[in-house]
Short mmCIF file of all heavy atoms in Angstrom, two decimals:
data_model
loop_
_atom_site.label_atom_id
_atom_site.label_comp_id
_atom_site.label_asym_id
_atom_site.label_seq_id
_atom_site.Cartn_x
_atom_site.Cartn_y
_atom_site.Cartn_z
N MET A 1 0.16 1.55 -8.42
CA MET A 1 0.99 0.80 -7.51
C MET A 1 0.22 0.61 -6.23
O MET A 1 -0.50 1.43 -5.65
CB MET A 1 2.30 1.52 -7.31
CG MET A 1 3.31 0.79 -6.34
SD MET A 1 4.84 1.69 -6.29
CE MET A 1 5.86 0.41 -6.85
N PHE A 2 0.25 -0.56 -5.61
CA PHE A 2 -0.35 -0.85 -4.40
C PHE A 2 -1.80 -0.82 -4.34
O PHE A 2 -2.48 -0.02 -3.61
CB PHE A 2 0.25 -0.05 -3.16
CG PHE A 2 1.70 -0.21 -3.03
CD1 PHE A 2 2.56 0.87 -3.45
CD2 PHE A 2 2.23 -1.39 -2.58
CE1 PHE A 2 3.88 0.76 -3.35
CE2 PHE A 2 3.61 -1.44 -2.49
CZ PHE A 2 4.46 -0.50 -2.83
N GLY A 3 -2.44 -1.64 -5.17
CA GLY A 3 -3.85 -1.79 -5.13
C GLY A 3 -4.52 -0.45 -5.61
O GLY A 3 -4.12 0.13 -6.53
N SER A 4 -5.52 -0.03 -5.03
CA SER A 4 -6.22 1.09 -5.44
C SER A 4 -5.58 2.45 -4.96
O SER A 4 -5.97 3.47 -5.56
CB SER A 4 -7.73 1.22 -4.88
OG SER A 4 -7.68 1.12 -3.45
N GLY A 5 -4.70 2.42 -3.98
CA GLY A 5 -4.03 3.56 -3.44
C GLY A 5 -2.67 3.75 -4.17
O GLY A 5 -2.19 2.85 -4.91
N LYS A 6 -2.14 5.00 -4.06
CA LYS A 6 -0.84 5.26 -4.68
C LYS A 6 0.09 5.75 -3.59
O LYS A 6 -0.33 6.52 -2.76
CB LYS A 6 -0.92 6.27 -5.78
CG LYS A 6 -1.75 5.75 -6.94
CD LYS A 6 -1.71 6.81 -8.06
CE LYS A 6 -2.36 6.25 -9.29
NZ LYS A 6 -2.33 7.22 -10.42
N ILE A 7 1.30 5.24 -3.66
CA ILE A 7 2.35 5.71 -2.77
C ILE A 7 3.51 6.21 -3.62
O ILE A 7 3.97 5.44 -4.49
CB ILE A 7 2.77 4.59 -1.80
CG1 ILE A 7 1.63 4.14 -0.98
CG2 ILE A 7 3.93 5.05 -0.92
CD1 ILE A 7 1.90 2.94 -0.10
N LYS A 8 4.00 7.46 -3.32
CA LYS A 8 5.13 7.92 -3.96
C LYS A 8 6.51 7.56 -3.26
O LYS A 8 6.47 7.64 -2.04
CB LYS A 8 5.11 9.52 -4.07
CG LYS A 8 4.02 9.92 -4.99
CD LYS A 8 3.99 11.51 -5.11
CE LYS A 8 2.89 11.94 -5.96
NZ LYS A 8 2.96 13.37 -6.18
N ILE A 9 7.31 7.08 -4.01
CA ILE A 9 8.58 6.56 -3.48
C ILE A 9 9.72 7.21 -4.27
O ILE A 9 9.65 7.41 -5.55
CB ILE A 9 8.74 5.03 -3.71
CG1 ILE A 9 7.81 4.35 -2.92
CG2 ILE A 9 10.25 4.61 -3.23
CD1 ILE A 9 7.75 2.86 -2.86
N ASP A 10 10.61 7.88 -3.60
CA ASP A 10 11.81 8.49 -4.16
C ASP A 10 12.42 7.55 -5.31
O ASP A 10 12.49 6.31 -5.11
CB ASP A 10 12.86 8.77 -3.08
CG ASP A 10 14.04 9.35 -3.58
OD1 ASP A 10 14.12 10.59 -3.93
OD2 ASP A 10 15.14 8.61 -3.80
N LYS A 11 12.76 8.15 -6.35
CA LYS A 11 13.22 7.49 -7.57
C LYS A 11 14.45 6.51 -7.19
O LYS A 11 14.52 5.40 -7.62
CB LYS A 11 13.63 8.54 -8.67
CG LYS A 11 14.11 7.98 -9.91
CD LYS A 11 14.43 9.04 -10.83
CE LYS A 11 15.16 8.59 -12.11
NZ LYS A 11 15.49 9.72 -13.05
N ASP A 12 15.42 7.12 -6.45
CA ASP A 12 16.58 6.27 -6.09
C ASP A 12 16.28 5.14 -5.10
O ASP A 12 16.83 4.12 -5.25
CB ASP A 12 17.60 7.30 -5.32
CG ASP A 12 18.20 8.26 -6.21
OD1 ASP A 12 18.26 7.99 -7.49
OD2 ASP A 12 18.77 9.28 -5.79
N LEU A 13 15.35 5.38 -4.19
CA LEU A 13 14.87 4.35 -3.35
C LEU A 13 14.13 3.21 -4.04
O LEU A 13 14.39 2.02 -3.85
CB LEU A 13 13.95 4.83 -2.17
CG LEU A 13 13.37 3.86 -1.27
CD1 LEU A 13 14.52 3.07 -0.52
CD2 LEU A 13 12.45 4.52 -0.22
N LEU A 14 13.30 3.68 -5.08
CA LEU A 14 12.59 2.65 -5.91
C LEU A 14 13.64 1.82 -6.71
O LEU A 14 13.40 0.60 -6.87
CB LEU A 14 11.62 3.37 -6.74
CG LEU A 14 10.75 2.42 -7.69
CD1 LEU A 14 9.98 1.41 -6.80
CD2 LEU A 14 9.89 3.26 -8.60
N ALA A 15 14.63 2.40 -7.21
CA ALA A 15 15.72 1.71 -7.93
C ALA A 15 16.35 0.59 -7.01
O ALA A 15 16.56 -0.47 -7.47
CB ALA A 15 16.76 2.62 -8.49
N LYS A 16 16.65 0.93 -5.72
CA LYS A 16 17.15 -0.03 -4.79
C LYS A 16 16.09 -1.14 -4.50
O LYS A 16 16.47 -2.35 -4.48
CB LYS A 16 17.42 0.72 -3.41
CG LYS A 16 18.59 1.61 -3.56
CD LYS A 16 18.84 2.14 -2.16
CE LYS A 16 19.94 3.26 -2.16
NZ LYS A 16 20.22 3.79 -0.91
N VAL A 17 14.83 -0.79 -4.35
CA VAL A 17 13.81 -1.82 -4.14
C VAL A 17 13.82 -2.71 -5.25
O VAL A 17 13.69 -3.90 -5.03
CB VAL A 17 12.47 -1.10 -3.85
CG1 VAL A 17 11.40 -2.13 -3.92
CG2 VAL A 17 12.49 -0.37 -2.55
N LYS A 18 13.84 -2.17 -6.56
CA LYS A 18 13.70 -3.04 -7.66
C LYS A 18 14.89 -3.99 -7.74
O LYS A 18 14.80 -5.21 -8.06
CB LYS A 18 13.62 -2.15 -8.91
CG LYS A 18 12.26 -1.52 -9.12
CD LYS A 18 12.30 -0.66 -10.46
CE LYS A 18 10.88 0.00 -10.59
NZ LYS A 18 10.88 0.84 -11.82
N ARG A 19 16.04 -3.46 -7.46
CA ARG A 19 17.28 -4.27 -7.44
C ARG A 19 17.16 -5.43 -6.39
O ARG A 19 17.41 -6.55 -6.79
CB ARG A 19 18.48 -3.38 -7.12
CG ARG A 19 19.73 -4.19 -6.98
CD ARG A 19 21.00 -3.30 -6.84
NE ARG A 19 22.17 -4.01 -6.77
CZ ARG A 19 22.84 -4.31 -5.65
NH1 ARG A 19 22.47 -3.73 -4.45
NH2 ARG A 19 23.95 -4.98 -5.59
N TYR A 20 16.78 -5.12 -5.17
CA TYR A 20 16.67 -6.17 -4.21
C TYR A 20 15.57 -7.08 -4.45
O TYR A 20 15.67 -8.37 -4.21
CB TYR A 20 16.57 -5.52 -2.82
CG TYR A 20 17.79 -4.78 -2.42
CD1 TYR A 20 17.74 -3.52 -1.85
CD2 TYR A 20 19.08 -5.31 -2.58
CE1 TYR A 20 18.86 -2.72 -1.54
CE2 TYR A 20 20.18 -4.48 -2.32
CZ TYR A 20 20.11 -3.31 -1.75
OH TYR A 20 21.27 -2.59 -1.48
N ALA A 21 14.44 -6.63 -4.97
CA ALA A 21 13.31 -7.54 -5.28
C ALA A 21 13.77 -8.54 -6.35
O ALA A 21 13.38 -9.71 -6.26
CB ALA A 21 12.10 -6.67 -5.83
N ASP A 22 14.50 -8.10 -7.29
CA ASP A 22 14.98 -8.90 -8.43
C ASP A 22 16.00 -9.97 -7.89
O ASP A 22 15.87 -11.24 -8.15
CB ASP A 22 15.70 -8.09 -9.54
CG ASP A 22 16.05 -8.85 -10.68
OD1 ASP A 22 15.31 -9.70 -11.20
OD2 ASP A 22 17.17 -8.82 -11.12
N ILE A 23 16.95 -9.54 -6.99
CA ILE A 23 17.89 -10.40 -6.34
C ILE A 23 17.13 -11.54 -5.55
O ILE A 23 17.48 -12.73 -5.57
CB ILE A 23 18.86 -9.71 -5.50
CG1 ILE A 23 19.85 -8.89 -6.34
CG2 ILE A 23 19.67 -10.61 -4.62
CD1 ILE A 23 20.68 -7.86 -5.59
N ALA A 24 16.15 -11.10 -4.78
CA ALA A 24 15.40 -12.01 -3.94
C ALA A 24 14.32 -12.89 -4.77
O ALA A 24 13.72 -13.81 -4.11
CB ALA A 24 14.61 -11.26 -2.90
N GLY A 25 14.16 -12.65 -5.97
CA GLY A 25 13.27 -13.45 -6.81
C GLY A 25 11.89 -13.11 -6.81
O GLY A 25 11.00 -13.92 -7.29
N TYR A 26 11.51 -11.80 -6.37
CA TYR A 26 10.22 -11.35 -6.36
C TYR A 26 9.83 -11.03 -7.77
O TYR A 26 10.64 -10.58 -8.59
CB TYR A 26 9.95 -10.21 -5.47
CG TYR A 26 9.95 -10.51 -4.02
CD1 TYR A 26 11.17 -10.63 -3.31
CD2 TYR A 26 8.78 -10.79 -3.34
CE1 TYR A 26 11.17 -10.91 -1.91
CE2 TYR A 26 8.85 -11.14 -1.97
CZ TYR A 26 9.99 -11.26 -1.29
OH TYR A 26 9.95 -11.55 0.00
N SER A 27 8.49 -11.15 -8.18
CA SER A 27 8.06 -10.86 -9.50
C SER A 27 7.96 -9.40 -9.80
O SER A 27 7.97 -8.96 -10.99
CB SER A 27 6.71 -11.53 -9.80
OG SER A 27 5.70 -11.02 -8.91
N SER A 28 7.93 -8.61 -8.73
CA SER A 28 7.89 -7.11 -8.89
C SER A 28 8.25 -6.42 -7.70
O SER A 28 8.37 -7.00 -6.58
CB SER A 28 6.47 -6.70 -9.27
OG SER A 28 5.63 -6.95 -8.13
N ALA A 29 8.62 -5.14 -7.81
CA ALA A 29 8.90 -4.25 -6.64
C ALA A 29 7.71 -4.16 -5.69
O ALA A 29 7.87 -4.20 -4.51
CB ALA A 29 9.32 -2.92 -7.10
N GLU A 30 6.50 -4.12 -6.36
CA GLU A 30 5.34 -4.02 -5.45
C GLU A 30 5.14 -5.24 -4.65
O GLU A 30 4.82 -5.16 -3.43
CB GLU A 30 4.05 -3.86 -6.45
CG GLU A 30 2.75 -3.80 -5.67
CD GLU A 30 1.58 -3.60 -6.61
OE1 GLU A 30 1.76 -3.41 -7.85
OE2 GLU A 30 0.51 -3.54 -6.07
N GLU A 31 5.36 -6.41 -5.19
CA GLU A 31 5.18 -7.69 -4.43
C GLU A 31 6.26 -7.67 -3.27
O GLU A 31 5.94 -8.12 -2.16
CB GLU A 31 5.48 -8.86 -5.31
CG GLU A 31 5.35 -10.24 -4.58
CD GLU A 31 5.77 -11.40 -5.46
OE1 GLU A 31 6.47 -11.27 -6.40
OE2 GLU A 31 5.32 -12.51 -5.15
N PHE A 32 7.44 -7.27 -3.49
CA PHE A 32 8.58 -7.19 -2.43
C PHE A 32 8.15 -6.20 -1.42
O PHE A 32 8.23 -6.51 -0.17
CB PHE A 32 9.83 -6.77 -3.12
CG PHE A 32 11.02 -6.71 -2.28
CD1 PHE A 32 11.40 -7.87 -1.42
CD2 PHE A 32 11.82 -5.56 -2.17
CE1 PHE A 32 12.50 -7.71 -0.57
CE2 PHE A 32 12.97 -5.51 -1.38
CZ PHE A 32 13.28 -6.61 -0.53
N ILE A 33 7.71 -5.02 -1.79
CA ILE A 33 7.31 -4.00 -0.72
C ILE A 33 6.19 -4.48 0.07
O ILE A 33 6.21 -4.33 1.32
CB ILE A 33 7.05 -2.68 -1.46
CG1 ILE A 33 8.34 -2.12 -2.02
CG2 ILE A 33 6.37 -1.69 -0.50
CD1 ILE A 33 8.21 -0.80 -3.00
N THR A 34 5.19 -5.09 -0.63
CA THR A 34 4.02 -5.51 0.14
C THR A 34 4.43 -6.63 1.22
O THR A 34 4.03 -6.67 2.28
CB THR A 34 3.01 -6.18 -0.81
OG1 THR A 34 2.63 -5.19 -1.76
CG2 THR A 34 1.85 -6.87 -0.10
N HIS A 35 5.34 -7.52 0.71
CA HIS A 35 5.79 -8.55 1.70
C HIS A 35 6.57 -7.99 2.98
O HIS A 35 6.38 -8.31 4.05
CB HIS A 35 6.66 -9.57 1.00
CG HIS A 35 7.12 -10.69 1.81
ND1 HIS A 35 8.42 -11.13 1.84
CD2 HIS A 35 6.41 -11.49 2.65
CE1 HIS A 35 8.46 -12.10 2.69
NE2 HIS A 35 7.30 -12.42 3.22
N MET A 36 7.48 -6.93 2.59
CA MET A 36 8.13 -6.39 3.61
C MET A 36 7.26 -5.58 4.65
O MET A 36 7.39 -5.71 5.83
CB MET A 36 9.18 -5.29 3.05
CG MET A 36 10.34 -5.94 2.29
SD MET A 36 11.42 -4.79 1.50
CE MET A 36 11.94 -3.80 2.96
N LEU A 37 6.18 -4.87 4.01
CA LEU A 37 5.36 -4.10 4.95
C LEU A 37 4.47 -5.16 5.77
O LEU A 37 4.27 -4.94 7.01
CB LEU A 37 4.46 -3.25 4.12
CG LEU A 37 5.12 -2.05 3.50
CD1 LEU A 37 4.08 -1.28 2.56
CD2 LEU A 37 5.52 -1.07 4.62
N GLU A 38 4.05 -6.17 5.25
CA GLU A 38 3.30 -7.25 5.98
C GLU A 38 4.11 -7.79 7.07
O GLU A 38 3.52 -7.89 8.24
CB GLU A 38 2.82 -8.34 5.07
CG GLU A 38 1.73 -7.97 4.12
CD GLU A 38 1.47 -9.06 3.11
OE1 GLU A 38 2.24 -9.98 2.92
OE2 GLU A 38 0.43 -8.96 2.45
N LYS A 39 5.38 -8.06 6.92
CA LYS A 39 6.29 -8.58 7.98
C LYS A 39 6.46 -7.54 9.05
O LYS A 39 6.39 -7.81 10.24
CB LYS A 39 7.64 -8.97 7.32
CG LYS A 39 7.48 -10.29 6.55
CD LYS A 39 8.90 -10.75 6.11
CE LYS A 39 9.71 -11.13 7.32
NZ LYS A 39 11.04 -11.68 6.96
N GLU A 40 6.69 -6.24 8.70
CA GLU A 40 6.87 -5.20 9.69
C GLU A 40 5.62 -4.96 10.57
O GLU A 40 5.60 -4.81 11.69
CB GLU A 40 7.40 -4.01 9.14
CG GLU A 40 8.88 -4.12 8.53
CD GLU A 40 9.80 -4.38 9.68
OE1 GLU A 40 9.86 -3.71 10.67
OE2 GLU A 40 10.53 -5.46 9.49
N LEU A 41 4.50 -4.95 9.86
CA LEU A 41 3.18 -4.67 10.52
C LEU A 41 2.86 -5.89 11.46
O LEU A 41 2.17 -5.63 12.49
CB LEU A 41 2.12 -4.43 9.50
CG LEU A 41 2.26 -3.01 8.74
CD1 LEU A 41 1.25 -2.90 7.73
CD2 LEU A 41 2.24 -1.83 9.78
N ALA A 42 3.21 -7.06 11.03
CA ALA A 42 2.82 -8.20 11.84
C ALA A 42 3.55 -8.02 13.23
O ALA A 42 3.01 -8.68 14.17
CB ALA A 42 3.37 -9.54 11.17
N LYS A 43 4.64 -7.31 13.26
CA LYS A 43 5.35 -7.11 14.62
C LYS A 43 4.56 -6.28 15.53
O LYS A 43 4.74 -6.19 16.81
CB LYS A 43 6.77 -6.58 14.35
CG LYS A 43 7.63 -7.48 13.58
CD LYS A 43 8.90 -6.73 13.24
CE LYS A 43 9.83 -7.55 12.38
NZ LYS A 43 11.03 -6.91 12.01
N LEU A 44 3.55 -5.62 15.05
CA LEU A 44 2.69 -4.67 15.87
C LEU A 44 1.32 -5.26 16.18
O LEU A 44 0.66 -4.64 17.05
CB LEU A 44 2.63 -3.26 15.12
CG LEU A 44 3.86 -2.64 14.69
CD1 LEU A 44 3.59 -1.42 13.92
CD2 LEU A 44 4.76 -2.27 15.94
N GLU A 45 0.83 -6.15 15.42
CA GLU A 45 -0.52 -6.58 15.41
C GLU A 45 -1.04 -7.09 16.71
O GLU A 45 -2.11 -6.97 17.01
CB GLU A 45 -0.80 -7.47 14.25
CG GLU A 45 -0.79 -6.76 12.89
CD GLU A 45 -1.13 -7.73 11.65
OE1 GLU A 45 -1.17 -8.96 11.93
OE2 GLU A 45 -1.25 -7.20 10.59
N ASP A 46 -0.07 -7.76 17.51
CA ASP A 46 -0.67 -8.37 18.75
C ASP A 46 -0.44 -7.43 19.94
O ASP A 46 -0.62 -7.94 21.11
CB ASP A 46 -0.03 -9.76 18.94
CG ASP A 46 1.43 -9.70 19.22
OD1 ASP A 46 2.08 -8.65 18.72
OD2 ASP A 46 2.02 -10.56 19.67
N ALA A 47 -0.08 -6.19 19.73
CA ALA A 47 0.06 -5.28 20.82
C ALA A 47 -1.26 -4.98 21.47
O ALA A 47 -2.25 -4.90 20.82
CB ALA A 47 0.71 -3.99 20.32
N ASP A 48 -1.17 -4.81 22.80
CA ASP A 48 -2.47 -4.72 23.61
C ASP A 48 -3.00 -3.28 23.67
O ASP A 48 -4.10 -2.93 23.88
CB ASP A 48 -2.27 -5.28 24.98
CG ASP A 48 -2.00 -6.70 24.99
OD1 ASP A 48 -2.55 -7.40 24.08
OD2 ASP A 48 -1.33 -7.17 26.00
N SER A 49 -2.06 -2.31 23.39
CA SER A 49 -2.47 -0.92 23.53
C SER A 49 -1.65 -0.04 22.54
O SER A 49 -0.72 -0.50 22.00
CB SER A 49 -2.14 -0.50 25.01
OG SER A 49 -0.84 -0.51 25.31
N GLU A 50 -2.12 1.22 22.51
CA GLU A 50 -1.40 2.20 21.72
C GLU A 50 0.00 2.40 22.22
O GLU A 50 0.98 2.61 21.44
CB GLU A 50 -2.14 3.45 21.66
CG GLU A 50 -1.62 4.49 20.65
CD GLU A 50 -2.53 5.69 20.47
OE1 GLU A 50 -3.76 5.56 20.22
OE2 GLU A 50 -1.95 6.81 20.56
N GLU A 51 0.12 2.40 23.52
CA GLU A 51 1.37 2.64 24.19
C GLU A 51 2.35 1.42 23.81
O GLU A 51 3.52 1.65 23.48
CB GLU A 51 1.20 2.67 25.68
CG GLU A 51 0.74 4.06 26.22
CD GLU A 51 1.55 5.18 25.63
OE1 GLU A 51 2.79 5.18 25.78
OE2 GLU A 51 1.02 6.15 25.09
N GLU A 52 1.81 0.16 23.81
CA GLU A 52 2.53 -0.86 23.43
C GLU A 52 3.13 -0.77 21.91
O GLU A 52 4.21 -1.11 21.56
CB GLU A 52 1.91 -2.27 23.51
CG GLU A 52 2.68 -3.46 23.26
CD GLU A 52 3.83 -3.68 24.08
OE1 GLU A 52 3.92 -3.31 25.21
OE2 GLU A 52 4.86 -4.37 23.59
N VAL A 53 2.16 -0.35 21.14
CA VAL A 53 2.62 -0.10 19.65
C VAL A 53 3.66 0.90 19.54
O VAL A 53 4.76 0.70 18.87
CB VAL A 53 1.37 0.40 18.83
CG1 VAL A 53 1.79 0.79 17.47
CG2 VAL A 53 0.34 -0.67 18.74
N LYS A 54 3.58 2.06 20.27
CA LYS A 54 4.63 3.01 20.33
C LYS A 54 5.89 2.44 20.82
O LYS A 54 7.03 2.77 20.27
CB LYS A 54 4.22 4.28 21.24
CG LYS A 54 3.11 5.09 20.61
CD LYS A 54 2.76 6.22 21.53
CE LYS A 54 1.59 6.99 20.91
NZ LYS A 54 1.25 8.18 21.77
N LYS A 55 5.89 1.65 21.90
CA LYS A 55 7.11 1.12 22.52
C LYS A 55 7.76 0.22 21.44
O LYS A 55 8.97 0.23 21.21
CB LYS A 55 6.72 0.26 23.63
CG LYS A 55 7.86 -0.41 24.35
CD LYS A 55 7.35 -1.20 25.69
CE LYS A 55 8.51 -1.84 26.27
NZ LYS A 55 8.00 -2.62 27.44
N ARG A 56 6.95 -0.66 20.69
CA ARG A 56 7.47 -1.49 19.71
C ARG A 56 8.06 -0.73 18.56
O ARG A 56 9.13 -1.04 17.93
CB ARG A 56 6.46 -2.44 19.16
CG ARG A 56 6.06 -3.46 20.32
CD ARG A 56 5.14 -4.46 19.80
NE ARG A 56 4.71 -5.36 20.84
CZ ARG A 56 3.99 -6.37 20.59
NH1 ARG A 56 3.52 -6.69 19.46
NH2 ARG A 56 3.54 -7.19 21.73
N LEU A 57 7.35 0.33 18.16
CA LEU A 57 7.94 1.20 17.05
C LEU A 57 9.14 1.80 17.45
O LEU A 57 10.14 1.94 16.61
CB LEU A 57 6.88 2.31 16.62
CG LEU A 57 5.64 1.82 15.90
CD1 LEU A 57 4.56 2.91 15.77
CD2 LEU A 57 6.03 1.35 14.54
N LYS A 58 9.35 2.24 18.64
CA LYS A 58 10.63 2.77 19.16
C LYS A 58 11.72 1.73 19.13
O LYS A 58 12.80 1.93 18.70
CB LYS A 58 10.53 3.28 20.63
CG LYS A 58 9.76 4.61 20.67
CD LYS A 58 9.67 5.08 22.14
CE LYS A 58 8.97 6.37 22.21
NZ LYS A 58 8.78 6.90 23.56
N GLY A 59 11.34 0.51 19.57
CA GLY A 59 12.24 -0.61 19.54
C GLY A 59 12.70 -1.01 18.23
O GLY A 59 13.89 -1.47 17.96
N LEU A 60 11.90 -0.84 17.12
CA LEU A 60 12.16 -1.15 15.80
C LEU A 60 12.89 0.04 15.10
O LEU A 60 13.40 -0.10 13.97
CB LEU A 60 10.95 -1.44 15.02
CG LEU A 60 10.23 -2.74 15.46
CD1 LEU A 60 8.83 -2.88 14.83
CD2 LEU A 60 11.07 -3.93 15.00
N GLY A 61 13.00 1.20 15.86
CA GLY A 61 13.70 2.35 15.27
C GLY A 61 12.85 3.24 14.39
O GLY A 61 13.43 4.14 13.65
N TYR A 62 11.64 3.08 14.37
CA TYR A 62 10.70 3.88 13.53
C TYR A 62 10.36 5.31 14.17
O TYR A 62 10.08 6.24 13.41
CB TYR A 62 9.37 3.17 13.21
CG TYR A 62 9.70 2.09 12.23
CD1 TYR A 62 9.48 0.72 12.66
CD2 TYR A 62 10.13 2.35 10.97
CE1 TYR A 62 9.77 -0.33 11.78
CE2 TYR A 62 10.32 1.19 10.08
CZ TYR A 62 10.11 -0.10 10.52
OH TYR A 62 10.35 -1.11 9.61
N ILE A 63 10.36 5.26 15.54
CA ILE A 63 10.17 6.64 16.14
C ILE A 63 11.06 6.74 17.28
O ILE A 63 11.66 5.76 17.74
CB ILE A 63 8.66 6.73 16.68
CG1 ILE A 63 8.26 5.67 17.70
CG2 ILE A 63 7.72 6.77 15.58
CD1 ILE A 63 6.96 5.79 18.31
N SER A 64 11.32 8.00 17.80
CA SER A 64 12.32 8.11 18.94
C SER A 64 11.55 8.80 20.08
O SER A 64 10.39 9.19 20.07
CB SER A 64 13.37 9.06 18.49
OG SER A 64 12.96 10.26 17.95
#
């Protein structure tokens, strides 16, 4: 899963991902997860500094 690397996902979470990927018309859970990650990471890419990245991550609810 995910190119040459492997990421472990909880079985129940993967079942949800598969369900939503299917509803959304993605060809696979991997394609859906990749798209979601690309969209979330794009929100950080134009940050000017590490502090700006942290600020945005806090704003997105990923860190406190």
Side-chain angles (χ1 to χ4, degrees):
M1 182 176 241
F2 301 109
S4 60
K6 291 185 177 184
I7 298 175
K8 291 184 178 182
I9 297 177
D10 177 78
K11 183 178 169 182
D12 292 336
L13 178 58
L14 183 57
K16 289 179 185 178
V17 169
K18 287 179 178 177
R19 178 175 179 254
Y20 295 134
D22 189 48
I23 289 170
Y26 287 86
S27 63
S28 66
E30 181 178 353
E31 180 186 23
F32 181 53
I33 291 170
T34 298
H35 185 227
M36 290 177 59
L37 288 173
E38 287 173 345
K39 286 184 68 172
E40 289 301 304
L41 292 174
K43 296 175 184 176
L44 306 172
E45 289 181 351
D46 64 340
D48 296 329
S49 67
E50 189 172 311
E51 284 304 311
E52 180 63 25
V53 171
K54 287 179 181 178
K55 183 178 175 183
R56 290 182 187 188
L57 287 170
K58 284 181 183 178
L60 293 168
Y62 290 110
I63 60 176
S64 53

